[in-house]
């Protein structure tokens, strides 16, 4: 990615539109980079054309620093999650996005907005990150930087294990099948 080896990487993912809060991701980068020049933000996913047009000057200025990356849509995302240090869910509304489950399964702590969907409860229940007030990009930046400065020893492995335990697909499929057909032998 061309980043300094001491850089810390914040990842965001999804179709970059207003609902996903791409504009808030950009604002959080601006707030975080004022406090720490080693932090870089990367958004994987296509940008909504209207968002790209409207925010073009801000996006171009951020990208020109080399610390705001927009690689676009990615077919394979595992490497991006493994390279990152923390995940930012800037969605204004997102019921239970798989992007966060992917992040936590890679051991990434996450920051999300309160009242944005089911993720804040997941983060609290599993000690998997922080929750900040809705659309408060400055609070998002502070929470991201706090996680970057104080990583939990063994935290990545703990979070990955929690996802394997709590969100096992085979167990989910068995539960759904048993719900539909309660008399079916296990």
């Amino acid at each position: 990615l061309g980043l300094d080896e001491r850089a810390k990487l914040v990842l965001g993912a999804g179709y970059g539109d207003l609902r996903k809060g791409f504009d808030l991701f950009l604002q959080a980068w601006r707030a975080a980079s004022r406090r720490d020049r080693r932090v870089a933000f990367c958004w994987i996913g296509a940008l909504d054309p209207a968002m790209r047009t409207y925010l073009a000057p801000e996006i171009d200025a951020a990208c020109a620093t080399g610390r705001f990356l927009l690689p676009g849509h990615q077919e394979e995302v595992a490497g991006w999650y493994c390279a990152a240090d923390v995940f930012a869910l800037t969605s204004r509304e997102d019921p239970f996005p798989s992007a966060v489950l992917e992040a936590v399964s890679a051991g990434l702590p996450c920051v999300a907005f309160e009242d944005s969907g089911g993720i804040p409860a997941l983060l609290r229940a599993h000690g998997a990150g922080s929750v900040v007030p809705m659309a408060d990009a400055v609070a998002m930046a502070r929470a991201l930087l706090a996680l970057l400065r104080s990583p939990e020893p063994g935290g990545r492995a703990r979070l990955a294990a929690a996802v394997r335990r709590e969100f096992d697909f085979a167990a989910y499929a068995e539960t759904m099948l048993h719900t539909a057909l309660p008399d079916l032998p296990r």
Side-chain angles (χ1 to χ4, degrees):
L1 299 175
L3 298 173
D4 181 279
E5 64 184 38
R6 295 171 297 145
K8 296 293 185 179
L9 185 62
V10 175
L11 186 65
Y15 183 71
D17 61 7
L18 197 60
R19 183 178 70 85
K20 290 286 188 179
F22 176 79
D23 57 318
L24 298 170
F25 186 80
L26 181 59
Q27 289 175 31
W29 169 80
R30 194 178 307 112
S33 66
R34 280 194 294 266
R35 292 171 175 79
D36 188 339
R37 293 276 181 208
R38 293 173 301 167
V39 69
F41 278 45
C42 178
W43 183 276
I44 54 173
L47 289 185
D48 179 75
M51 183 73 68
R52 178 72 170 115
T53 300
Y54 185 72
L55 295 175
E58 293 174 67
I59 291 170
D60 293 344
C63 289
T65 67
R67 293 180 291 108
F68 191 82
L69 311 168
L70 296 173
H73 175 77
Q74 302 294 310
E75 290 294 325
E76 298 294 328
V77 298
W80 296 94
Y81 285 96
C82 289
D85 297 292
V86 67
F87 188 84
L89 180 67
T90 53
S91 296
R92 291 175 167 89
E93 175 189 19
D94 219 335
F96 207 76
S98 60
V100 173
L101 293 180
E102 290 183 69
V104 177
S105 71
L108 292 181
C110 303
V111 179
F113 290 128
E114 187 69 68
D115 300 321
S116 60
I119 294 301
L122 176 139
L123 297 179
R124 287 184 181 111
H126 296 285
S130 302
V131 179
V132 298
M134 174 55 80
D136 188 337
V138 173
M140 170 78 63
R142 281 190 205 116
L144 291 165
L145 290 173
L147 288 171
L148 290 171
R149 289 186 186 120
S150 302
E152 176 189 339
R156 283 187 89 121
R158 181 188 63 78
L159 292 176
V163 167
R164 283 191 303 277
R165 185 177 59 253
E166 298 290 327
F167 300 101
D168 177 67
F169 187 75
Y172 166 77
E174 184 178 337
T175 299
M176 295 302 290
L177 186 59
H178 210 289
T179 300
L181 303 166
D183 296 330
L184 186 69
R186 290 201 180 261

